[in-house]
Amino acid sequence: MIKIYKYGEVSNDEIFARDNIASNVEGVVTGIIADVIANGDKALYAYAKKFDKADLTSLEVTPEEIDEAVASVAPEFLDILREAAVNIRAFHEKQVRGSFIISEKDGVVVGQKVTPIEKVGLYVPGGTAAYPSTVLMDAIPAKIAGCSEIVMVTPPSASGKVNPVILAAAKVAGVTRIFKMGGAQAIAALAYGTESVPRVDKIVGPGNAYVAEAKKQVFGRVSIDMIAGPSEILVVADATCNPKFVAADLLSQAEHDRMASAVLVTDTYELAEAVSAELERQIPLLPRAEIARESIDKNGKITAQYPGSTVITATMPSGQVSAVTLTVDPVKVSSVSISSSDRASVLPSRTARENSAMRASLSAFGVERPFFQSLKVELEIPVSFATLYVVVPFIERSCSKLT
């Protein structure tokens, strides 16, 4: 179950902290990169066997494999890919920048020359999940920019085949050079080149912690887009939001990776509880329920405006106080303290649902002559339920803004 924290209990630096980041990722990746540099294709075949359980006879996907994959997917899916490609292309065509030259009167010539990157490498996840959208969103801008060679890498299955939806998306995007490899070894191959894999000038695309670390380590040797590690999502919601939709948004990223981090920030504890319950309902319905469950349980967080301590003080003239009546919304009341110069008494914790109008007769505390100068009431209530009435003889106070 997702953890719910009181607002401010988790610092901004820790809100996306993960409990199960693999240890020694940096050292493992350094070793893999060194192995690929030293042994080239031999290392790539070995890692395909070790990590993907695939006995490969060739690293590069053949045109026949691409055609076979395209023929195996539903025609409706191909139509969706083509429609998406049109939309992506229309957007990125607006981003194209051109060269220009300005000749000043005094003979000074200034200008800008825009030159496309020659070779780019696309990393496309394909291990625990396949994302054909990544193919389109990475390949189409490269095509528009005029990159002369686009090299795609993606992990194979244990059968040695690449997920057909990935190959179908590559066909639609116009990518023809595709290699069966993933993880840090694929990034190393793109950055340094091997007997089969050409060295590229820039690497783009998301991946797991090992892919992110590998991109970090090869940066400088090649250009990269960004350090895109395990998925993160932050949802900010108030009491007007539908908990079903909020939970679905959190799960849209939590199902990507066991190390994904899904976080909700809300100003109402009631929404926090409702979203938590909705997550429990929706997770079992997901095809990737096992991954989403681990991600939510280990890395998910809700930070909410939680019931906080509130102090109300009512002052009265000397005189006997016969009873105190507290009327609160249905939330947990942690304690009620009645203090005087010579006596302090505390009522046991209870919920307002159990006793919505909690009466504390001072005589119940054995006070025979209760002459008080002040009355202090302490209880736990959320800010959203900020109406408290303290009723005593001669005095009635209402506080509607409690902090």
Side-chain angles (χ1 to χ4, degrees), residues 134-149:
T134 299
V135 180
L136 301 181
M137 290 188 286
D138 285 347
I140 292 174
K143 286 281 188 180
I144 294 171
C147 300
S148 58
E149 186 169 3

Side-chain angles (χ1 to χ4, degrees), residues 248-369:
D249 282 340
L250 295 173
L251 292 174
S252 70
Q253 300 302 313
E255 69 174 359
H256 281 190
D257 193 315
R258 285 178 168 84
M259 290 189 290
S261 182
V263 177
L264 166 64
V265 177
T266 179
D267 63 349
T268 164
Y269 183 69
E270 287 65 35
L271 181 67
E273 288 188 310
V275 170
S276 177
E278 191 61 33
L279 286 170
E280 294 305 302
R281 187 189 72 82
Q282 292 187 26
I283 288 175
L285 306 178
L286 297 175
R288 296 165 58 79
E290 182 181 350
I291 292 174
R293 165 58 64 196
E294 185 171 342
S295 170
I296 288 295
D297 288 354
K298 292 188 175 181
N299 307 314
K301 297 180 184 70
I302 299 178
T303 175
Q305 194 71 283
Y306 205 80
S309 180
T310 302
V311 177
I312 300 298
T313 301
T315 304
M316 66 205 75
S318 296
Q320 183 173 354
V321 180
S322 59
V324 177
T325 300
L326 302 179
T327 304
V328 299
D329 289 276
V331 295
K332 183 178 180 181
V333 177
S334 65
S335 66
V336 177
S337 300
I338 303 173
S339 303
S340 72
S341 58
D342 61 351
R343 188 180 298 271
S345 303
V346 180
L347 289 175
S349 299
R350 67 189 74 187
T351 65
R353 289 189 181 92
E354 295 169 340
N355 190 0
S356 61
M358 185 167 56
R359 288 185 168 274
S361 174
L362 298 186
S363 60
F365 295 103
V367 181
E368 297 178 356
R369 299 183 58 191

